[in-house]
């Protein structure tokens, strides 16, 4: 049960308080931040635009690369004087560090920034109300980095729709232990939510106006949740089919996938479930078998090619994206050339690429074969230049096509709105704001840097992608 703030008689009305949450890292953190706001709303916390006047500042952090983790400490340095300024007043400021840095650094974080009031890991965010009550009573930092046996999803309030698109976490954690990655340590073991809970959450979102749901998981295609009836388990392919049956849910996406878990059923779903959008983020990390082995990725370059061939034979227009790491320990010029060759062969519509960042506690950080910063920078520049050419080519190839666009917000210029194509490209077009949340058929007129310009057309949806429901306007 959420506890009252100390000194507040339980019969008095709840005092309005301001909450500022800053989110770093992946979409799962975005989802968790929204859930933290939900769990705090009954305590009177309302969103603040700035940290200055917030009663509670939450930094929901990411530990994936050194830069991401260090940013938290520079932000904490800026918050410290704001907190000191309010100390001793009737409206003190509490600072909470949540997420993956909280989990990974725990007590070390408390030593480095003892003025932080609460340190809470990703699996215990539902306990925030009691942690806040404790923090008000204690001069010391309250630390909770448990991996509890009962999942936070059983304790968090159901999310409310907030616009036409939504994230839905279906799976958390990772058992794969890639040698560069902190996620198995920060998020814990793989866990899949029961399918019936996911369907209930999805139906609630759709009845609130959501038309596109992105299913989230650190290893989302490793999903194996208890089936609706309690008999057996469902894979992601099966779950996608069931979700596609929800009337009003027009678009389904999922991220992030691992090549090892791309099973036949999911590949088939890409060919046969129209609501499953023709865009897949399938990180390969490297094109060299030697490096893939050293990374403990559990698949070869050839296996990746085969998966892509099978996906594309069922869905030829499938847009692909990936993550790449350059400068992994021991990466030779030939290994890097293999990665460039893989990119040339596969052709990605967009991608994310990073210099290898040694992370404490991970095996690759211990390697004596670290690559110099200069080499990492040169390889990243070459790789990003190729990826950006491919992104431009992909976007240019859609000029002249008729594509349905789900309008989600104001566009680049006055009188314009922006939305996403099925391939996740941002598309700008002239449209009245009342069309927010509609799927309109457009003709793509130009590709400008990383987005597209289009005009609305009243044509029925073309064959590509098949049968997406389009609002007439
Ligand atoms: N679960 C996803 C990735 C999660 S982390 C998967 O298996 O693909 C997101 C991306 O961050 C990774 O795909 C990887 O490209 C990058 N990353 C992870 N650890 C890193 C490190 N130590 N240095 C640089 N990039 C890293
Ligand atoms: Fe990290 Fe590998 Fe797990 Fe992805 S699969 S979260 S890269 S350990
Ligand atoms: Fe970062 Fe944790 Fe996500 S380390 S990428 S916030 S799972």
């Amino acid at each position: 049960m959420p506890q009252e703030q100390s000194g507040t008689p339980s019969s008095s009305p709840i005092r309005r308080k301001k909450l500022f949450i800053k989110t770093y890292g992946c979409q799962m953190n975005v989802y968790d931040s929204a859930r933290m706001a939900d769990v705090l709303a009954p305590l009177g916390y309302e969103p603040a635009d700035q940290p200055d006047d917030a009663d509670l500042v939450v930094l929901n952090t990411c530990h994936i690369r050194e830069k991401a983790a260090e940013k938290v400490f520079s932000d904490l340095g800026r918050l410290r004087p704001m907190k000191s300024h309010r100390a001793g007043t009737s409206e003190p400021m509490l600072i909470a560090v949540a997420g993956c840095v909280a989990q990974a650094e725990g007590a070390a974080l408390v030593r480095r920034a003892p003025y932080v009031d609460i340190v809470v890991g990703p699996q215990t965010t539902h306990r925030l109300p009691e942690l806040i009550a404790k923090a008000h009573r204690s001069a010391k930092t309250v630390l909770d980095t448990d991996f509890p046996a009962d999942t936070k999803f059983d304790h968090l309030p159901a999310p409310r729709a907030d616009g036409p698109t939504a994230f839905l976490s279906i799976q958390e954690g990772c058992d794969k232990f890639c040698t560069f990655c902190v996620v198995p340590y920060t998020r814990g073991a793989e866990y899949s939510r029961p399918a019936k809970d996911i369907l209930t959450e999805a139906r609630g979102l759709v009845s609130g106006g959501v038309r596109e749901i992105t299913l989230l998981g650190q290893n989302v295609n490793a999903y194996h949740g208890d089936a609706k009836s309690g008999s057996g388990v469902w894979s992601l392919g099966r779950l996608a089919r069931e979700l596609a049956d929800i009337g009003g849910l027009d678009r389904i996406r999922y991220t992030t996938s691992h090549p090892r878990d791309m099973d036949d059923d999911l590949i088939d779903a890409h060919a046969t479930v129209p609501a499953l959008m023709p865009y897949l983020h399938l990180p390969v990390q490297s094109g060299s078998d030697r490096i893939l082995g050293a990374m403990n990725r559990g698949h070869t370059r050839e296996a990746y090619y085969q998966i892509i061939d099978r996906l594309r034979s069922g869905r030829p227009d499938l847009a692909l994206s990936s993550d790449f790491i350059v400068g992994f320990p021991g990466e030779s010029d030939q290994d890097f050339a293999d990665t460039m060759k893989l990119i040339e062969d596969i052709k990605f519509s967009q991608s994310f690429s990073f210099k290898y960042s040694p992370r404490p506690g991970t095996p690759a950080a211990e390697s004596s074969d670290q690559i110099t910063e200069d080499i990492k920078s040169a390889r990243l520049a070459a790789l990003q230049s190729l990826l950006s050419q491919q992104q431009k080519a992909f976007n240019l190839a859609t000029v002249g096509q008729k594509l349905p666009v789900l309008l989600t917000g104001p566009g680049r210029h006055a009188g314009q709105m922006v939305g996403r194509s099925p391939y996740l490209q941002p598309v700008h077009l002239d449209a009245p704001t009342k069309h927010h949340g509609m799927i309109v058929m457009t003709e793509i007129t130009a590709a400008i840097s990383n987005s597209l310009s289009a005009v609305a057309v009243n044509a029925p949806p073309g064959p590509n992608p098949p049968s997406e429901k389009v609002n007439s306007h």
Side-chain angles (χ1 to χ4, degrees), residues 24-26 29 61-64 100 182-183 186-187 218:
Y24 313 66
C26 62
N29 263 12
T61 61
C62 173
H63 201 245
I64 202 82
C100 292
V182 292
V183 171
T186 63
R187 294 272 170 172
Q218 268 90 27

Side-chain angles (χ1 to χ4, degrees), residues 192-317:
S192 295
R193 293 178 67 191
K196 77 167 172 18
D197 294 357
I198 294 165
L199 291 170
T200 304
E201 189 165 323
R203 280 195 204 96
L205 290 167
V206 172
S207 66
V210 166
R211 304 187 67 173
E212 172 179 304
I213 289 181
T214 303
L215 306 172
L216 299 180
Q218 268 90 27
N219 272 271
V220 72
N221 60 338
Y223 178 80
H224 57 282
D226 284 342
K228 210 166 37 171
S229 57
S231 56
V233 291
W234 282 1
S235 66
L236 183 59
R238 176 70 195 272
L239 183 67
R241 286 175 217 279
E242 298 282 336
L243 286 165
D245 282 345
I246 299 177
L249 180 57
D250 300 302
R251 294 180 161 198
I252 300 168
R253 304 182 185 275
Y254 60 91
T255 199
T256 292
S257 298
H258 194 291
R260 261 159 70 183
D261 297 313
M262 226 45 229
D263 64 17
D264 292 349
D265 192 31
L266 187 54
I267 291 174
D268 181 68
H270 275 281
T272 54
V273 180
L276 199 54
M277 289 291 98
Y279 170 90
L280 174 63
H281 183 61
L282 190 64
V284 66
Q285 315 295 355
S286 168
S288 151
D289 278 341
R290 213 173 62 82
I291 296 297
L292 287 170
M295 286 177 164
N296 191 32
R297 289 290 289 177
H299 66 85
T300 59
R301 164 199 183 89
E302 183 52 33
Y304 191 79
Y305 279 88
Q306 280 176 13
I307 292 164
I308 302 304
D309 277 355
R310 288 166 57 212
L311 280 160
R312 281 185 167 152
S313 68
R315 186 72 211 225
D317 63 324

Side-chain angles (χ1 to χ4, degrees), residues 64-65 180 218 256 283 285 297 323 325 355 357 359:
I64 202 82
R65 285 168 291 275
F180 52 81
Q218 268 90 27
T256 292
Q285 315 295 355
R297 289 290 289 177
D323 294 339
I325 295 178
K355 289 183 204 173
S357 170
R359 306 307 292 130

Side-chain angles (χ1 to χ4, degrees), residues 100-403:
C100 292
V101 175
Q103 189 66 46
E105 304 214 353
L109 191 153
V110 178
R111 279 196 296 279
R112 195 166 158 190
Y115 51 90
V116 168
D117 300 282
I118 298 165
V119 174
V120 55
Q123 304 310 345
T124 49
T125 45
H126 58 288
R127 294 184 186 156
L128 261 177
E130 53 187 275
L131 298 175
I132 291 170
K134 271 190 197 156
H136 275 293
R137 291 195 300 266
S138 160
K140 285 197 193 143
T141 309
V142 179
L143 179 75
D144 186 348
T145 49
D146 282 359
F147 286 114
D150 54 339
T151 154
K152 65 181 173 187
F153 294 107
D154 292 343
H155 301 277
L156 290 166
R160 282 160 290 123
D162 181 22
T165 62
F167 289 140
L168 199 172
S169 281
I170 65 165
Q171 180 278 338
E172 273 223 52
C174 180
D175 297 337
K176 296 207 168 59
F177 292 92
C178 299
T179 55
F180 52 81
C181 184
V182 292
V183 171
Y185 312 96
T186 63
R187 294 272 170 172
E190 242 179 72
Y191 164 76
S192 295
R193 293 178 67 191
K196 77 167 172 18
D197 294 357
I198 294 165
L199 291 170
T200 304
E201 189 165 323
R203 280 195 204 96
L205 290 167
V206 172
S207 66
V210 166
R211 304 187 67 173
E212 172 179 304
I213 289 181
T214 303
L215 306 172
L216 299 180
Q218 268 90 27
N219 272 271
V220 72
N221 60 338
Y223 178 80
H224 57 282
D226 284 342
K228 210 166 37 171
S229 57
S231 56
V233 291
W234 282 1
S235 66
L236 183 59
R238 176 70 195 272
L239 183 67
R241 286 175 217 279
E242 298 282 336
L243 286 165
D245 282 345
I246 299 177
L249 180 57
D250 300 302
R251 294 180 161 198
I252 300 168
R253 304 182 185 275
Y254 60 91
T255 199
T256 292
S257 298
H258 194 291
R260 261 159 70 183
D261 297 313
M262 226 45 229
D263 64 17
D264 292 349
D265 192 31
L266 187 54
I267 291 174
D268 181 68
H270 275 281
T272 54
V273 180
L276 199 54
M277 289 291 98
Y279 170 90
L280 174 63
H281 183 61
L282 190 64
V284 66
Q285 315 295 355
S286 168
S288 151
D289 278 341
R290 213 173 62 82
I291 296 297
L292 287 170
M295 286 177 164
N296 191 32
R297 289 290 289 177
H299 66 85
T300 59
R301 164 199 183 89
E302 183 52 33
Y304 191 79
Y305 279 88
Q306 280 176 13
I307 292 164
I308 302 304
D309 277 355
R310 288 166 57 212
L311 280 160
R312 281 185 167 152
S313 68
R315 186 72 211 225
D317 63 324
L318 185 75
L320 283 162
S321 99
S322 174
D323 294 339
F324 295 94
I325 295 178
V326 298
F328 183 82
E331 185 187 66
S332 66
D333 286 341
Q334 184 56 51
D335 293 321
F336 178 64
D338 289 348
T339 300
M340 293 293 272
K341 175 77 168 60
L342 179 140
I343 296 172
E344 275 160 16
D345 290 343
I346 301 280
K347 298 193 174 43
F348 293 92
S349 71
Q350 61 162 290
S351 279
F352 303 89
S353 44
F354 315 98
K355 289 183 204 173
Y356 168 70
S357 170
R359 306 307 292 130
T362 59
E366 307 298 318
S367 164
S368 54
D369 246 350
Q370 300 295 331
I371 304 296
T372 65
E373 200 51 31
D374 286 356
I375 295 179
K376 283 184 192 171
S377 299
R379 288 182 183 163
L380 188 67
L383 183 115
Q384 290 187 337
S385 155
L386 177 58
L387 288 169
S388 127
Q389 280 171 35
Q390 292 195 343
Q391 181 167 6
K392 278 195 193 116
F394 182 86
N395 284 344
L396 270 175
T398 54
V399 173
Q401 284 191 29
K402 291 203 170 64
L403 294 180

